[in-house]
Amino acid sequence: MNNSTCLVLKFGGTSVKDAETINKVLNIVSIDNTKKVIIVSAHAGVTNLLVEICNSKKDTISSLLSQLYKIHSGIAKDLNILDSTKEFIMNELSEIDVITNYLPLSPQLKDVVMSKGEVLSSMLIYTYFKEQGKSIAFVDSREVMKTNSQFTNAELYFDLSCKNIEEQFLNYFDEYDLIIMGGFIASDEDGRPTTLGRGGSDYTAAVVSSALNATELQIWTDVNGILTSDPRFIEGVKKVRKLSYSEASELSFFGAKVLHPSTIHPAVKKGIPVRVKNTFNPNDDGTLVLSEKSNIEMIKAIAFRKDVITITLRSNRMLGAYGFMSKVFQSFEKLKIPVDIVTTSEVSISVTVNKNEYNPNIEKELSVLGEVTISEGNAIISAIGEGIKETAGIANRLFGALKGINISMVSVGASEVNLSIVVSEEDLQRAVTLLHNEFFNDSLNPVFFE
Ligand code: ADP
Ligand code: ASP
Ligand code: MG
């Protein structure tokens, strides 16, 4: 088949949360005859329950398993497919039950548990769509998506996975209109299940779109597109109509949960447009993410991330010395702590680290180089937009709007579309609201935001 005419649509957990929303998905994929790949997440809440199972004691497992049974059998019953899927659901859940005899779980066993959400959702939705008369094929993502054995956050063997996808999917498209596959899960060289990190279904979809050279990658979620900030955190957010790839990737990296941070890269390489759309409002155009820059004079959105730890190292030995910074970063490398923002002065260096990636041993490691201060309870706020480098005066407006808020670090991102500051978590809500008011008030041009 001509693979340039296929679409890849990814539906997140909220888009497949119950029978009603699964029917919305059915309508969306039935809209025309374009060949479509459907990538689905686990039903809403399921992955969180699986995480809980991984971190629980044996005596709470049966109640968590019965919650999982209730969710899946409830959806299957409402879709009228319980008879044909009950055994499958029971088998997958009893596999989890057996694994929990080995608590606390190794990362490898955790991934067996974590993979069940997408294993179940993809099979239930496939069964339902087939029973509704759709011409649809099922692909087990563990057979095509191949990774290393870094369980719970595995690295994809990109070229191998793309080759597998191309071979299998193009064959299926000769026979079927739709192909469905679970996101987020993969397997290592020995066939053991792996996962791609929370939110990883977006990444699966992006990889598939790249392998098939799809006309568009659509990320279907529960809001109208990429918004000027997190709607759960502040009021008055607006939809951004268009964004550049670099703006979207900075936005997701700095906390906007609407896209998985890695999503964009496979699409960028192939120049595939990415559209973020609302399953509950499919007629809205959503947000289009494109390789070219658009509305360059603008700030497009304000993202933020909580649970940030700031580490500051002061040392006179930094003055005029070479090799000092390299020693600092070697310490982070040794403990495998990823660093986000870095600022330096003549005699000090400050870096930020995510709380869940922090290792307290870093204090001891760095103390041989100088005086170390650790500050917890911080947040990063990032203003994102091509305007940061293109428009004079944006930084002035940003700092002007934040009068009275203590800013402990400032970084104009290497990507040039991101200006990030670090504030204390207590000031986060006020700071984001002030910035949002400054840049996204009512007088904005509706061509860019709505
Ligand atoms: P899904 O289940 O579709 O993967 P997610 O919960 O992962 O959905 O992501 C969508 C959510 O991201 C939205 O409901 C919204 O609350 C949140 N969000 C945070 N920042 C933004 C933003 N800038 N634009 C849009 N949504 C955002
Ligand atoms: N189900 C996984 C998660 O909740 C992957 C995803 O939804 O993208 O993180
Ligand atoms: Mg998501």
Side-chain angles (χ1 to χ4, degrees), residues 10-14 41 198-202 219-221 257-260:
K10 176 260 171 178
F11 294 89
T14 42
S41 286
R198 292 304 304 268
S201 295
D202 293 355
I219 306 288
W220 290 79
T221 183
K257 205 185 153 206
V258 65
L259 279 184
H260 183 278

Side-chain angles (χ1 to χ4, degrees), residues 142-180:
R142 293 166 295 189
E143 280 170 21
V144 288
M145 299 290 282
K146 287 289 171 185
T147 67
N148 65 8
S149 305
Q150 195 181 306
F151 296 102
T152 73
N153 200 4
E155 220 171 280
L156 192 77
Y157 294 139
F158 188 82
D159 291 338
L160 174 62
S161 304
C162 285
K163 188 171 148 270
N164 292 342
I165 291 164
E166 213 183 338
E167 275 171 17
Q168 275 218 23
F169 284 47
L170 294 183
N171 270 339
Y172 275 138
F173 270 148
D174 283 336
E175 205 176 323
Y176 301 96
D177 294 338
L178 303 172
I179 298 171
I180 189 166

Side-chain angles (χ1 to χ4, degrees), residues 7 9 28-29 32 34-38 173 177-179:
L7 288 175
L9 294 80
I28 291 165
V29 301
D32 58 26
T34 319
K35 302 271 184 192
K36 298 180 187 78
V37 178
I38 306 163
F173 270 148
D177 294 338
L178 303 172
I179 298 171

Side-chain angles (χ1 to χ4, degrees), residues 10 12-14 220-223 225-227 229-232 256-258:
K10 176 260 171 178
T14 42
W220 290 79
T221 183
D222 61 346
V223 287
I226 294 180
L227 307 171
S229 197
D230 188 336
R232 291 163 304 183
K257 205 185 153 206
V258 65

Side-chain angles (χ1 to χ4, degrees), residues 47-322:
T47 308
N48 287 346
L49 283 171
L50 295 169
V51 171
E52 240 186 278
I53 288 182
C54 291
N55 300 325
S56 284
K57 301 231 156 58
K58 185 69 188 167
D59 53 358
T60 50
I61 299 298
S62 68
S63 115
L64 292 166
L65 280 175
S66 61
Q67 287 183 58
L68 284 173
Y69 181 72
K70 214 167 141 201
I71 294 173
H72 293 97
S73 63
I75 290 174
K77 186 165 171 279
D78 292 344
L79 294 174
N80 253 327
I81 52 166
L82 188 56
D83 284 350
S84 53
T85 56
K86 192 170 176 178
E87 201 183 323
F88 181 75
I89 299 172
M90 304 268 276
N91 283 344
E92 295 298 323
L93 296 183
S94 63
E95 205 181 310
I96 297 179
D97 196 21
V98 171
I99 287 171
T100 55
N101 289 325
Y102 301 95
L103 285 166
L105 301 184
S106 64
Q108 185 200 325
L109 287 179
K110 276 186 182 167
D111 264 356
V112 181
V113 173
M114 295 288 287
S115 67
K116 295 302 181 193
E118 273 73 7
V119 166
L120 282 159
S121 68
S122 57
M123 187 47 88
L124 294 188
I125 297 167
Y126 164 70
T127 308
Y128 178 60
F129 284 10
K130 205 167 52 148
E131 295 215 346
Q132 291 299 302
K134 291 282 136 199
S135 152
I136 186 165
F138 177 84
V139 174
D140 185 333
S141 21
R142 293 166 295 189
E143 280 170 21
V144 288
M145 299 290 282
K146 287 289 171 185
T147 67
N148 65 8
S149 305
Q150 195 181 306
F151 296 102
T152 73
N153 200 4
E155 220 171 280
L156 192 77
Y157 294 139
F158 188 82
D159 291 338
L160 174 62
S161 304
C162 285
K163 188 171 148 270
N164 292 342
I165 291 164
E166 213 183 338
E167 275 171 17
Q168 275 218 23
F169 284 47
L170 294 183
N171 270 339
Y172 275 138
F173 270 148
D174 283 336
E175 205 176 323
Y176 301 96
D177 294 338
L178 303 172
I179 298 171
I180 189 166
M181 181 170 104
F184 178 56
I185 56 182
S187 72
D188 73 355
E189 277 152 292
D190 297 326
R192 299 173 294 184
T194 54
T195 58
L196 301 170
R198 292 304 304 268
S201 295
D202 293 355
Y203 183 52
T204 307
V207 172
V208 173
S209 73
S210 165
L212 299 177
N213 213 356
T215 24
E216 191 168 276
L217 164 63
Q218 299 180 350
I219 306 288
W220 290 79
T221 183
D222 61 346
V223 287
N224 277 347
I226 294 180
L227 307 171
T228 50
S229 197
D230 188 336
R232 291 163 304 183
F233 198 64
I234 61 163
E235 286 175 7
V237 296
K238 299 180 166 74
K239 188 187 87 180
V240 186
R241 287 178 190 266
K242 256 192 214 171
L243 242 78
S244 68
Y245 282 130
S246 43
E247 288 170 330
S249 76
E250 288 291 299
L251 194 58
S252 54
F253 184 73
F254 282 98
K257 205 185 153 206
V258 65
L259 279 184
H260 183 278
S262 316
T263 315
I264 300 298
H265 302 288
V268 179
K269 266 204 190 147
K270 284 276 177 85
I272 296 168
V274 180
R275 199 181 277 278
V276 180
K277 284 189 61 103
N278 190 349
T279 306
F280 303 87
N281 186 15
N283 293 330
D284 192 293
D285 286 346
T287 297
L288 189 57
V289 184
L290 284 170
S291 53
E292 66 256 29
K293 298 175 193 168
S294 60
N295 328 332
I296 54 172
E297 70 272 35
M298 293 278 178
I299 293 269
K300 305 286 172 39
I302 316 271
F304 58 87
R305 225 159 58 188
K306 294 186 200 174
D307 290 330
V308 170
I309 296 181
T310 313
I311 303 164
T312 302
L313 174 68
R314 278 186 193 79
S315 170
N316 287 331
R317 275 179 283 156
M318 267 178 87
L319 265 176
Y322 53 84

